């Protein structure tokens, strides 16, 4: 369906272009979220390997990692924009970049909540961090399945897509655990 709500030959080219831009924006947001999820998965696994992880240190590491990746993305977007257009981004383009990159910050929410639950004594910090990594990998599976379904190839394609994303997340964890410090 295009943005105007009309389909087929009666849909206007402007509506089709708007729908294409909306699809591009959704794809860019998902891509940013997947990159951030993989990055934070590696970070929380690395935190489990420290000799005596602390709650505050772990929370700050997760938060600063998410913030750093987000800021790096914004800087890279602005630099590439200037390189391609020869000018700085307009306010509308800055808002669009902030909207597309905001999922990078949201990825830290799960690990931060689990670290906070651990600080309350409900579970150990190492368990909270490993659970965070597991939930991040499960999230990759869900996004892969959702992508597969949206491609319209049926449930089997969705599961294959989800498993492919899961494999990436599991590989990140495996490499981090095998390599260690």
């Amino acid at each position: 369906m295009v943005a105007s709500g009309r389909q087929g030959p009666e849909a206007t080219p402007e509506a089709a272009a708007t729908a294409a831009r909306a699809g591009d924006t959704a794809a860019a947001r998902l891509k940013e979220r997947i990159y951030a999820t993989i990055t934070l998965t590696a970070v929380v696994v690395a935190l489990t390997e420290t000799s005596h992880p602390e709650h505050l240190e772990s929370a700050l590491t997760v938060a600063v990692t998410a913030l750093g990746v987000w800021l790096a993305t914004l800087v890279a977007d602005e630099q590439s924009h200037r390189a391609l257009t020869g000018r700085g981004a307009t306010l509308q383009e800055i808002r669009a970049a902030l909207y597309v990159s905001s999922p990078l910050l949201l990825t830290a929410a799960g690990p931060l909540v689990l670290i906070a639950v651990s600080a309350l004594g409900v579970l150990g910090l190492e368990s909270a961090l490993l659970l965070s990594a597991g939930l991040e990998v499960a999230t990759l599976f869900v996004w892969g399945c959702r992508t597969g379904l949206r491609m319209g190839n049926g449930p089997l394609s969705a599961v294959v897509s989800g498993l492919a994303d899961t494999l990436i997340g599991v590989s990140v964890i495996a490499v981090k655990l095998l390599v260690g410090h």
Side-chain angles (χ1 to χ4, degrees):
M1 181 181 295
V2 291
S4 69
R6 297 183 299 183
Q7 294 180 337
E10 69 275 1
T12 65
E14 295 83 18
T18 299
R21 282 192 302 275
D24 289 346
T25 299
R29 285 176 57 88
L30 179 59
K31 176 185 71 170
E32 297 297 344
R33 186 86 186 243
I34 289 171
Y35 287 154
T37 298
I38 292 168
T39 301
L40 281 176
T41 299
V43 168
V44 296
V45 171
L47 286 169
T48 66
E49 297 176 335
T50 60
S51 57
H52 298 290
E54 299 291 329
H55 292 94
L56 181 60
E57 174 190 17
S58 297
L60 286 174
T61 300
V62 168
V64 169
T65 298
L67 183 63
V69 170
W70 179 68
L71 289 172
T73 298
L74 291 176
V75 168
D77 283 349
E78 177 60 20
Q79 287 177 350
S80 64
H81 179 78
R82 284 180 185 268
L84 291 173
T85 65
R87 63 173 176 76
T90 65
L91 185 57
Q92 182 180 0
E93 291 165 335
I94 291 169
R95 277 196 301 249
L98 290 170
Y99 178 73
V100 166
S101 64
S102 64
L104 293 170
L105 296 172
L106 296 174
T107 304
L112 289 173
V113 166
L114 287 168
I115 291 168
V117 167
S118 172
L120 296 173
V122 176
L123 72 159
L125 181 56
E126 187 174 340
S127 297
L129 294 169
L130 289 173
L131 183 57
S132 293
L135 289 174
E136 296 290 337
V137 171
T139 302
L140 289 172
F141 176 78
V142 170
W143 288 325
C145 285
R146 183 173 173 230
T147 301
L149 287 173
R150 294 196 78 184
M151 289 171 24
N153 294 332
L156 180 60
S157 174
V159 171
V160 169
S161 179
L163 289 174
D165 286 357
T166 302
L167 181 62
I168 293 167
V170 170
S171 297
V172 166
I173 292 172
V175 166
K176 196 71 192 136
L177 291 174
L178 289 173
V179 172
H181 293 307

